[in-house]
Structures are given as C-alpha cells and as structure tokens.
Amino acid sequence: MAGAKSALVLCMDVGFSMSNSAPGEEPPFELAKKVIQKFVQRQVFAETKDELALVLFGTDSTKNPLDQDGQYQNITIHRHLMMPDFELLEEIQNQIHPESQQADWLDALVVCMDLLQRETKGKKYDRLNIVLLTDLNTGASADHLDVIIENLKKDGITLQFFLPFPVEEDEEGGGDADRRGPSHPGMGKGLSREQKNSMDMMKHIMLSLDEEDGLDQIYTFTNAIEQLCMFKRIERRPMSWPCQLTIGSSLSIRIVGYKAVTEEKLKKLWISVDAQTNKREDLKRETVYCLDDDNETEVQKDDTIQGFRYGSDIVPFSKVDQEQMKYTHDGKCFAVLGFTKQSLVHRHQFIGNQVIKIFAPKDDEWPCRPSSGRWHELKMVAIVRYAYDRRSNPQVGAAFPCIKQDYECLLYVQLPFTEDLRQFTFPSLENNKKFTPSDTQLSAVDSLIDSMMLVEENENGEQVDMFKVHQLPNPAFQRHFQCLHHRAVSPGTPLPPMEPWLKAALERPEVISERCQAPLEEMRKTFPLTEVEKKKKVKTSAQLFGKDSEEPDAKKAKGDEEEEEYNLADIAEGSVTSQLTHRIEQLLSNKNTQYYMKSITCIQAFREQSIEQGNADLYNSYLQSLKRSIPNRGLEVFWDLLVQGTISLFTWDCRISLKSFLP
Amino acid sequence: MAEWNAYYHNEDEEEEQEEGEQSGGDYKVTGRDSLVFLVDASKEMFIKGEDGQPSNFDMTMEVVRSVYTSKIISSHRDLVALVFYGTEQSKNPRNSFKHVYVYHDLDEPGAKRVRDVDGLQGDKGAQLAADTMGSGETSLGDALWCCANLYSDIKLRLSHKRLMIFTCRDDPHGDDSTKDRQARTKASDLKETGVVIDLMHMMKPGGFDVSLFFCDIVSPPEDESELGLQLEPCDKLDDLKKRVRAKEQKKRTMSRLNLCLGKGINVAVGMYATAVMTRKPSAIRLYRETNEPVRSKTRTFHTQTGSLLLPSEIKKAQVYGKKQIVMERDEVDTIKRFDDPGLLLMGFKPMEKLKLHHHIRPAVFLYPEEDEVKGSTCLFSALLMKCREKNVFALCRCISRRNYPPRFVALVPQKEEVDHGKVQITPPGFNAIFLPYADDIRTVDAPQCPVASQMQVNKMKEIVSKLRFKYRSDAFENPVVQQHYRNLEALALDMMAPEDTEDLIMPKVEQIDQRLGPLVQEFKDLVYPNGYNPESKPAAKRKTADTGGGAEKKPKMEVSEDELKAHMQNGTLGKLTVPILKEACKQFGIRTTGTKKQELLDALTARLEITDNLDHT
C-alpha cells in the first residue's frame, strides 16, 4: 500500500557515563554513534518513506516542549520527525559529542512519546517505534512507570533497547556480573546499582509490552554494528494479480498471482552531469537524424516516418497502421492448454526473468484447492497461456504444482516460443576417443567432488548447506552503496576497497578450500592443461595496433569471438614481406598524406611480391587486418585514399582469394 | 497494481540494459553468415512419394522457405542463395556454366524471395520449374564452381560460409569419372576457402550410398567421428527441417571463459545462449520523401556555451537523501568490477538442492574450448560424467564479462541425446542456471486455505489425465512476432490483407470441453457449493484494500437465456448495459473482439437466433 510508512525516534544517551570505558575499549558513546550512523545510512539508501527523529539526552542544554518547572531537563530534540538525509548524517558525524550531564532515560522516553504523538497527528503510519541507546547508568524514577506503559500500549508504540552489555533472560538474584565473563566490552567492572535498577525497569516495560518476545528487542551495540554493516536488501511489496485459471470453456477457478522471484535492479540510474559544475542542467542531449550520404544531410524528426525491416526489404509502417494491424487479444488470461509430463519441460529452457506464484485467493469463500496441485503425484505440469493484461504480450509457460508444509501453490515460469530456440549441435564427447578420460582421471574428479560438497549432514543427521546463494545480498548493490556512501561523506578521496566480509562471501568457504587441496593437487597431476600459445600472439598484435582485444569487454560486448585472430607474427617470419609490412606500419604511424602515399606504394609492392611467390595468403590476411584496424587507429583518410582509385588496379575485396585471379 | 504495470511498460528499457548479456543474435561486428542451397533439379527429385507424399523437390522447397522466413525474423543480415543443378536451362552471373541455374543470388532474403519459393511448391511449382529450368545434364563440379563465384562476388565480409547440397542421387555423374574428379577438386577448393559443405540426402529407391561419391565432397564432421556420414537419408519433412536447422545456425559464443577449479587448473569453456527471447524488432526511421533509412546521432552539449562535450567532460551522479553524489565515468565502471571474467568453482551440491523456482534469467550452455586450453575437453568430459553419476551440480561464481558484477550459477550436467535418425537433439555439456540473490526473492504471504478432500483431488486428477499431451518446446510460435511479420510481408508484397496466423497458444476450448465431457460438472459439484460463480468478484470485500483505482464495479449481471430471448423479441436488448451484455456473451461462450455495444448486441442476437432455430427443429 502506497502510504505505508513508519515513524521512528532514535533516542541516544550522550551523558557523561557513556564516555567511560575500560582501557583499550571503545567507549559506549562511540559505539552508539556508530549504530546510529549505520542505521541512518541504510535508511537513506533504501529510500523508504519512513520518517525519523533524533532525541539526545544528557545534553548540557535543554530543548524540548515538555521543559517546564525544571522537569525534563537536559533533553534535546535534535531533529524532528522527517525523512532521513545526508544532512542528518553529517550532523551526526560533526555535531554529536559526549556531553557532561546526565538525564533520566524514562524522561527521555516520555519526550519521545510526546514527540511521536504530536508529529504523527493526522498522518498515517503503520508503525511507531522508539529506539533507546543508553548504558542505563542514570537513576530513573519509577513513579509513572505504569502510566508510561499504559500510554505505549494505547498508542501502539514499540520499543527497542541498545545497550553496551547483553541482558540475561533469567538472571539469578544479585548482579553476578562475572558469570557473563568480562570479555564483553562495556562490562568492565560489572553493573552499577543504577544500571541494575534501570535494567529491572526496562525488563518490566518490555515484558509488559510483549510477554513472550519482549526481551528479544534488547540488543548490544556490537551485535547491532555487525548486523548493520550490510546495506538493506531491496524489498518490494509483491502486488497481487487476480485472475482466473480456466480449463476449457466452463471450468474456471479464481486465482491470485504474485511475482515471487525476479532479477532485481537498482532503482536509480546514473544521470550525466557537467564535470565542471556537477550540474545536470548544464548538459543537454540531442538526437539528430541524417541521411546516409556523404554530407550527412540532417533531416528534421518530423520529416521521418517509421519503418521496419523485412529481410532485405524496408517497409514503411506508420504507428497508426501498426496499432491497427497488430496482434490483439482478450487480455488477462491464465488458460490451461493441456497437461504434460514434468520431465518434458526442461529446466534449462525456462525463459523470461521471473517466477510467479499462483494461489487460491485469500478471501475466496469457496477456495478451490485442487487448483493448486495435488496432481503433483502424477508428475504432471500444466502448460498455460498467460497474459498479464491487454497491453502485454501473451506467453506460453508451465505451471508446476508446489506443495509446501504450510501452503500450496502453482509456480509459473515462461517457456520459449519456436523462434526463441537455437538448436546448436556440438561434437559428441563420449564417442570421441581422443578426449575420453582415463580411470585415474575419473577417480581424481571423483575425490574432488567428494571433497567439495557444500551440503553435508551434521551430527543430528540434518543436511547443512554452507553456501546458500539465495541468502546472500547482491554484492553489486552492496558495493554500489558502499562507494556512494563513501563519496558522499568523504568527497575528494578515492573509492574504498571492498568490505572484507563481502570479499569473503564471494570466495570458497574456508573449510572447502582446505579440504580440496589434496584432490586438487591430484587433478593437477592427472590432467595436463596447456594454454594454447595463441593468446600471446594476440597480445603482440594488440600492442601493434594499440587496441585491447584481450578480453571481452562489457561495454563493447562484441560477439566476435569467432573471428580468426590475425597475427602479424605469423607473416613477419623473415622474408621480404615482413620488411614490407614493418615499413608500412612505420609509415602509417605518421598521419600525413605524404606518408600515406608511401605506404600505398609499399602495399603495391607487397602485392606484387605475393603474386611472384604465388602465395596470396599473407597479402590477403595483412590487408584484412589492416582494414580491421583502421577505425581504431584513426586511419580512415588513408583507407579512403587507398580505395579511391589511387591505385585502381587493385581489387579491393579482401575476401577474394587471390587464386582466382592469379595466373 | 502500479508495480506490475511499471514492469511491463519498462520492458523495453530493461531489455536495453541487459542486451549485452543476453544478446545471442546480434553480431554486426563480425561480418555476415552465408548459406547456399544447392538443389538437385533432376527428374528424380520430382518423383512423388507413395500415397501422395510430397516429392523430394517439394520437401526441399518447403525447407528453403522455412529457412528464409526464419532468417528474416531472427537474423535478417545473413546472406542466402538458391542454386539448382542438373537443369536444362542455365542462368548464372557470367553464364559460364551450363546446367546451373542461380535462382537467387547471395543476398539478404526478402518478401519477394519467399514468394518465389512458394511458387516452386506443389504441382504448379513442379510445372514452373520444368518450364523455366527443366532437367538436364549434371555436373556437380560446375555447380560448385559457380557457387564459389557467388561467394567471391560478395563485397561484404563473410564470417561463416555454408553450402548445403540437396539431392537424392548418390551417383550423379554415372560412369563419368572425369566429372567426379572435377567435382572433388572444386569441392576441396571450396573447403579450402572456408566453406563448409553439407549433404542433405534424401530417400530414393534402393537407398542412398554416401560412400559412392559424396563422402569426398562434404566437409568432415566437427568431432572427426564418422557420425555425419552414417546418417540415414531423410524421408520426412520434419527430419529434413530438423537436420537443416541444426546445421543452418552458426554456433556463436557469448563469451569464452576459464572455469577455474583451483589455482592453475583452468578449463576453457565457451558460453552459448540456446534460448533467447525473440521480440518484435525495433522500428527504423525513414526519410519521408524517399523512404530511405536515416541515421540518428546523439550528442551531448553544454547548455550555456553550446559546445559539444567530450566524454571526459561528463560525470555521473545519483541523488540520495537530498544529496547529489558524483563519480567519474570510469569509477562507475570500477564499482561494478569484482574480479576478472571467469567461472570459479565454489563446490558441489546434490541436484535436489536446485530449486525449481530459483529462476531469474534464461540458462546458458557450456562446452569446452580445446583451442584455447589444450586438455579442456578431457577434464570437462570427466567432470560431466562424474557429476551425472553422482547426481550433483557444480556451484560456480560467474563473471561473464569485464566489469560485470558476479552472479552464481549452477552447472547442471546434460547428457547427449540423438534421435532415431542419429541427429543430435541434446548436446553434451553443462547448462548454467543463474541463481537469485536474497534481493531477488520477494516475500509472498501465502493465503491460508483449507485442504482439498481426497475426492476433489481424484476428480482433478481425472481432469488432468484427460488433457494430457506431449509438450515440445518448439511447438508454439509467438503470435505477436508472427503477426508482425505477416503484416510486413503483406505490405512489402502489396497483398490485400496479411495471411492469417494461427494463434497456437490459444487453448483449444472445444476440444478440451469435448474431452472432459461431464467431468467439469462433476468437479464443480464436488468443489463449489450450488450456484457459486467463480467468475464473479467476491462481494465488496476489496473496497478498502483496492486503492489502485483499477477496481471495476460489477453489478449483478446474471441474465438468464429466457430473459435475453424475451428482450430480443421485444427489441429491448439494447436497454441492457454493456457489462451485462459482456457477461451474457461469456455465458454463451461467444468470443467478442469488440467492446462496443452494437458489436455485443450483434454477436448476441446472432447466437440467440441460432439456438432459437435449433429449438424449433
């Protein structure tokens, strides 16, 4: 629902006790500040509509509406309820310091409640929450505890506590602090009397709000920081798609679909700005149309019409005509074409980029459960026609019955059309003696697989999967936000290295890499692998032509993997021709017509030489590579000269084997 | 609802972003693919099969046509030629070869060519062929030479050259050994220039003996096995189509990567896209006056100075929390960079750990590249065998291109399968299934429903088994794309109206009803209480929930047949509202294309009159 947002008050203790810490430990103040920073960062980048306020207590000054008659002193509302932004982050960074007063944390809580009440009035929020970060080291008066709890309940406000130390659920009388071990920071000398007192009150409040899980909402600073280092995963509320599953003309079953799995993209795209002013308005992009003639004559957009290619024909086809003649259908649809064996629908032929879960609708009075499967026992799937709505293209897809413990549904996945399939054939692997692995080789692979199993049984006989991809946040998003955040708070510095936890998450689990050492060594011995020399030669030609063709590039994304790589090294083996090509390359490095003419003479000589030797390959392949390198080297002028009749006796088609016109 | 719509509307934009990754058909950079159909036009080719089976020539033309149209749709830049040999008449560029008839020169196929081939089909086609070309002497050598010239006359760069010979004669030259020799020489010349020659041999009485002559003509199969020549001759159109299609598409790698098992153990693999969504092509702009295509140029300039800006004068920015965060263009790229391209083996998991619903994009196919790293095929093959044997998949981290962020893939082993004619239908290799991250999985609250009774389940099972069919992935054509091309074809050829396309993904309602018979009612009686109509909206429950504005209000609109008839007789049918009329149409199973009131009225009246008449007879 569009308007759903929550309101949250961060209430942080900045009083003097927060700066106390055992030697070598970070003071609670710093930890609490980090928690707040990380939290606000996440909020900023997640771009939720949630609003946030910041209240400080223990401040030297007092600034809050309840400040009267010496009550509610040393409590400051730093920021009222609004959406978090970088300004807030900067303020947290620069303006929040440890101060020297102490204030009653219950008073602070009351200020927060008051703030929520005032500032949410008349607006709709689906959640009100107060987060208290404190060491509980102030004497709080328990006078109005019940009234406070009553009000929290009445307004539906939830509470969370962040403390420097953990809370034991069933504390056995008397603060036996040592039992928890001194290892936890902040626990230094055990708890003071005030802290124990406050702790009891806090527990009382939390348990009155939620008897069962109240104490789960109490966290330690260090745990919180760990959990907050990950940026929020992208969450989208699934939208329902009500429709009817039809079988034939008379059987229809009400269903509702939700997009359950889809490749999520970042919500924002990069915008271009002027490098000097960083302003978007200073840039303008313009698209012009021009004829494909020598002058590139520009034509107005209004003077262009729409057309399509039909093979070699270009067919003018106006938008209006297209709209009228295009395929139309009846709209929203989930119609069964028939049922087929699940084994005939291949997993690798799934197409599209989403999975839709289909349920019987919640509010259906007579839910039709068999719709959602139960025929799974037959190992059958439904092949269906699916159309999202009138405007979208219909698809063919499969609906798999999916029976889970607490729900049943159909999983819909799109399947390919005839046009989408590319039926490539590949040489057989098994029938080829040259590549058949030996028994030793097979057993090496066998033990490698055994050593690298990511799913194992633990002592209880349960299967444990140590690498669940679907629980990993998309590393691209994490890195993206990390860099954006860095640039925002420390502009002018280079981008930071990747977070260590992220790096580690993308590597083999340590257990596995240790276990597979020996089998890998065995593999190395039994399978000789030699990189084919080609790579190196490519490099030399790349250097020569100054183009980097080593790896496929994401930006260029060219698919010309199949292209034969031409190696200058191949032809430059001794002989006159190598000298000639060398000279040509030399001449061409000077971009000047005079030198161009000289290189043309050389090329001519090269050609004659080839004819003499009766070997056209060198000449052909050289010219071919030269032609290819023209755009990269900016030699268009030269090529034009070459082609434009300067030497007309040439047949400029490099593909023709010279054989055909050699004597 | 907004989000769903947004998704569908942005489809094009999203596609653009992804194109780099998914493009399987766009290889402008490399040059064109070319294919020559060299078809035997001897009398033997025109002999009709038993029981009115089409002649070999007919089958060949059918295949040529289907290749033409599929090229137009999926790779219109490929060049195709159609050449006949063994003809009486001759027609070739320099008219230097006798008995060779170049019907279509090497060029992009267009609407006219498709029509031409249509003209050569059937009895009329045979007559036309006899009239224009006739059947005469055969010299395959000359035919091959002529084809060689076709290739060399092309002024474009060709990346892949293929020639397919369609014939049913295994010994075309009889005892003329000179001609045999000449053909062999020309064939080897062609092969030397990179042309791959395939034989599409067809049935003739007495069988087709490849070893007599053609074994010396065709190119050896890729894997150096003898599989290629053991193929049986084709006698069915489908087989021939399949065989041609398998050869006709050139395999292209999306990228070549190293599959790294551990330090220093790198297996070279090629990535192939085997299923790529074909969409309606994007429009091109034409100049109104001449209908010639125009080029578009996009440039960026400074608003104040008006000067063109170089890429270095542009930075990239995003706004978060009211703050504009600026980065250099290359920084934007480096953010996406995690590691060099490649596949890194993380470990193995049992097959059942691969979840059906973990699907985010089409899978890609992996096959070893022996040319890059020697020994790859052997290791790959061993890995494939063992994974299948142990029923596990390999989990890999995949960076498919430079500056692409990592994705995880499940490498699922796939066994080679061949059909009865020994044509490969499934190649051996790994399918790489892309796995979703936590961000890609949405939390869907499953509605709670009561469990169905065993009776209901059994009834459903009956329905399911009544509607069984054998799914084939290539059985459904995309009606949207097909319609678009039919329209273009009609316009290109000045036809009155486009040819009808059959919408293959429309449920065959009548057949289904017939097959199910009384089952539907029995099922309904079991599941739905009396009178429940699942097609009506639940009563007024969504008023508060449905803020999307899409909520249609549906009044009660059950009108009985008798009421309708009464209305019709009284001429008051028009008083009913459109929704009621629509609902009535639905009730009668009338498919209405229009939504205008008059259209609905007409449809209903027509239908009611028919039932009326039936009642009276």
Side-chain angles (χ1 to χ4, degrees), chain A residues 85-86 90 233-234 236-239 244 249-250 252 254 260 262-265 268-269 271-273 275 278 281-284 286-290 296 302-305 307 309 311-313 325 327 339-340 347-349 351-353 364 366 369 377 380 385 388 418-420 422-423 425-428 432 446 450 452 454 465 467 472 474 480 487 506-508 524 530 532 554 560-561 653 655 659, chain B residues 1 3-4 7 17-18 30 76 109 111 154-157 192 223 249 251 253 261 263 274 276 278 284-286 288 295 297 299 301 303 309 313 315-324 326 331 345-346 348-349 355 358-361 367 371-372 374 390 397 402 404 414 416 424 431 433 438-443 449-450 461 467-469 471 476 478 482 487 503 505-506 513 524 529 532 534-535:
Chain A
D85 49 26
F86 270 99
E90 274 158 27
R233 74 184 180 109
I234 294 186
R236 295 204 193 202
R237 196 181 291 262
M239 300 301 283
Q244 302 195 359
S249 65
S250 47
S252 59
R254 295 213 304 121
T262 190
E263 190 169 346
E264 214 59 72
K265 298 272 159 63
K268 282 192 176 165
L269 294 177
I271 51 170
S272 299
V273 296
N278 284 351
E281 308 82 69
D282 286 343
L283 285 190
K284 207 175 167 205
E286 183 194 56
T287 304
V288 291
Y289 299 94
C290 57
E296 301 204 324
D302 290 343
D303 287 332
T304 62
I305 50 169
R309 221 172 251 289
S312 54
D313 306 306
M325 290 172 75
Y327 174 86
F339 296 87
T340 194
R347 169 76 206 242
H348 66 268
Q349 285 185 332
I351 208 165
N353 49 12
D364 200 335
W366 297 290
R369 270 302 271 275
E377 294 154 32
M380 300 284 273
R385 171 196 175 92
Y388 172 68
T418 324
E419 296 91 334
D420 306 337
R422 273 149 230 263
Q423 253 129 14
T425 49
F426 289 86
S428 173
N432 202 322
D446 204 65
D450 285 343
M452 291 186 78
L454 291 163
D465 189 337
F467 201 93
L472 195 69
N474 188 336
H480 180 84
R487 180 53 49 89
L506 297 173
E507 298 296 332
R508 241 173 236 180
R524 217 168 273 139
T530 36
V532 177
D560 60 347
E561 303 293 325
D653 181 23
R655 267 157 290 93
K659 258 188 191 159
Chain B
M1 221 42 121
E3 202 191 355
W4 279 81
Y7 170 72
Q17 278 184 8
E18 271 175 63
T30 34
H76 70 266
I154 291 297
K155 300 276 176 268
L156 298 159
R157 231 176 81 214
E192 226 166 76
D223 50 355
Q249 289 172 333
K251 298 193 285 268
T253 49
L261 305 187
K263 211 165 176 255
T274 48
V276 181
T278 311
I284 46 175
R285 286 201 168 273
L286 310 175
R288 189 187 292 279
R295 281 193 301 139
K297 287 195 290 192
R299 45 198 184 197
F301 58 88
T303 333
L309 290 173
E313 293 169 302
K315 284 188 187 174
K316 294 288 179 182
Q318 289 197 345
V319 178
Y320 275 99
K322 296 189 210 152
K323 190 181 178 97
Q324 176 171 279
V326 182
E331 281 176 332
L345 177 66
M346 309 297 288
F348 298 87
K349 285 189 190 184
K355 297 282 178 276
H358 283 175
H359 163 75
I360 46 165
R361 60 165 93 148
Y367 192 83
D371 298 346
E372 302 272 314
K374 229 175 135 224
K390 292 174 157 293
R397 188 187 76 190
R402 191 147 40 142
Y404 266 30
Q414 175 170 288
E416 180 183 15
Q424 187 180 65
N431 283 305
I433 312 256
D439 303 73
D440 304 324
I441 296 177
R442 301 183 180 192
T443 340
C449 309
K461 277 187 181 170
L467 297 177
R468 284 173 83 127
F469 78 112
Y471 169 78
F476 301 101
N478 186 342
Q482 290 297 334
N487 291 344
D503 188 346
I505 58 165
M506 213 55 199
D513 287 351
K524 278 188 181 170
Y532 171 67
E535 287 178 37

Side-chain angles (χ1 to χ4, degrees), chain A residues 149 165 170 221 302 312 315 389 421 430 526 529 550 569 582:
Chain A
I149 292 173
F165 42 79
D170 36 31
F221 289 156
D302 290 343
S312 54
V315 183
D389 71 4
L421 292 171
E430 276 173 36
T526 45
L529 291 165
E550 226 191 332
H582 183 66

Side-chain angles (χ1 to χ4, degrees), chain A residues 113 143-152:
Chain A
M113 289 162 65
D143 301 349
H144 304 293
L145 203 55
D146 291 336
V147 186
I148 294 175
I149 292 173
E150 220 27 64
N151 275 315
L152 283 171

Side-chain angles (χ1 to χ4, degrees), chain A residues 380-604:
Chain A
M380 300 284 273
V381 299
I383 301 296
V384 296
R385 171 196 175 92
Y386 164 86
Y388 172 68
D389 71 4
R390 225 185 156 74
R391 288 160 301 178
S392 56
N393 295 336
Q395 309 172 351
V396 64
F400 297 84
C402 162
I403 313 285
K404 284 274 164 73
Q405 198 150 33
D406 38 355
Y407 66 91
E408 292 177 13
C409 66
L410 292 173
L411 297 171
Y412 170 80
V413 191
Q414 191 183 354
L415 293 175
F417 286 114
T418 324
E419 296 91 334
D420 306 337
L421 292 171
R422 273 149 230 263
Q423 253 129 14
F424 298 143
T425 49
F426 289 86
S428 173
L429 289 176
E430 276 173 36
N431 306 338
N432 202 322
K433 286 189 197 96
K434 221 164 72 187
F435 301 124
T436 310
S438 68
D439 287 347
T440 353
Q441 287 175 322
L442 283 175
S443 80
V445 174
D446 204 65
S447 48
L448 179 76
I449 295 180
D450 285 343
S451 74
M452 291 186 78
M453 285 309 287
L454 291 163
V455 180
E456 283 187 327
E457 266 186 24
N458 66 5
E459 56 268 32
N460 302 331
E462 292 158 341
Q463 283 208 328
V464 184
D465 189 337
M466 56 181 108
F467 201 93
K468 286 187 174 165
V469 177
H470 64 276
Q471 288 181 354
L472 195 69
N474 188 336
F477 300 169
Q478 296 293 323
R479 174 85 178 135
H480 180 84
F481 289 132
Q482 184 209 356
C483 290
L484 278 179
H485 173 248
H486 174 90
R487 180 53 49 89
V489 293
S490 20
T493 57
L495 296 179
M498 208 175 298
E499 296 255 18
W501 73 266
L502 185 59
K503 228 181 156 99
L506 297 173
E507 298 296 332
R508 241 173 236 180
E510 239 167 84
V511 210
I512 296 286
S513 26
E514 269 167 39
R515 259 197 335 223
C516 69
Q517 283 314 317
L520 273 180
E521 199 43 53
E522 190 58 31
M523 292 282 290
R524 217 168 273 139
K525 270 189 230 146
T526 45
F527 287 97
L529 291 165
T530 36
E531 205 165 318
V532 177
E533 272 304 296
K534 217 163 87 185
K535 278 253 156 95
K536 259 188 194 154
K537 290 187 189 165
V538 173
K539 221 173 212 165
T540 54
S541 91
Q543 281 158 0
L544 259 175
F545 293 136
K547 79 172 181 182
D548 185 0
S549 58
E550 226 191 332
E551 281 162 352
D553 198 313
K555 270 187 286 180
K556 284 178 189 155
K558 55 175 188 176
D560 60 347
E561 303 293 325
E562 297 297 307
E563 196 170 329
E564 300 167 36
E565 280 299 338
Y566 156 73
N567 297 311
L568 197 67
D570 273 349
I571 42 168
E573 278 168 311
S575 85
V576 195
T577 52
S578 85
Q579 289 166 26
L580 274 170
T581 50
H582 183 66
R583 184 90 185 117
I584 296 169
E585 292 302 317
Q586 235 177 5
L587 288 166
L588 285 180
S589 58
N590 303 305
K591 287 194 181 134
N592 181 307
T593 325
Q594 213 183 335
Y595 289 101
Y596 288 163
M597 295 314 285
K598 278 190 188 160
S599 14
I600 291 174
T601 325
C602 283
I603 291 175
Q604 207 160 2

Side-chain angles (χ1 to χ4, degrees), chain B residues 70-215:
Chain B
S70 84
K71 288 269 179 207
I72 285 174
I73 294 177
S74 58
S75 35
H76 70 266
R77 294 171 62 84
D78 289 0
L79 307 176
V80 192
L82 176 60
V83 181
F84 295 99
Y85 71 97
T87 55
E88 182 56 44
Q89 305 299 318
S90 311
K91 182 178 165 235
N92 44 69
R94 294 171 202 89
N95 273 326
S96 42
F97 306 105
K98 289 223 166 96
H99 310 295
V100 180
Y101 199 102
V102 177
Y103 213 78
H104 290 149
D105 204 352
L106 255 187
D107 203 351
E108 296 169 1
K112 190 176 165 298
R113 291 189 163 201
V114 176
R115 290 287 126 184
D116 289 348
V117 177
D118 280 344
L120 287 172
Q121 284 182 48
D123 291 337
K124 271 190 196 160
Q127 190 56 47
L128 179 71
D131 293 345
T132 50
M133 304 184 292
S135 298
E137 252 177 79
T138 301
S139 167
L140 197 61
D142 280 351
L144 290 172
W145 197 344
C146 175
C147 293
N149 287 352
L150 290 184
Y151 284 117
S152 56
D153 286 347
I154 291 297
K155 300 276 176 268
L156 298 159
R157 231 176 81 214
L158 297 179
S159 56
H160 178 67
K161 296 180 265 192
R162 198 174 269 277
L163 185 137
M164 288 183 185
I165 304 175
F166 292 79
T167 184
C168 59
R169 295 185 295 161
D170 49 7
D171 186 18
H173 303 124
D175 293 331
D176 193 339
S177 60
T178 332
K179 277 189 176 172
D180 275 1
R181 195 160 5 110
Q182 198 198 356
R184 283 195 194 104
T185 322
K186 280 297 149 200
S188 73
D189 284 354
L190 267 173
K191 282 182 267 185
E192 226 166 76
T193 59
V195 178
V196 180
I197 304 178
D198 292 314
L199 177 64
M200 298 296 155
H201 49 316
M202 285 173 288
M203 218 38 164
K204 64 151 187 134
F208 195 107
D209 188 354
V210 177
S211 65
L212 270 183
F213 169 69
F214 274 102
C215 56

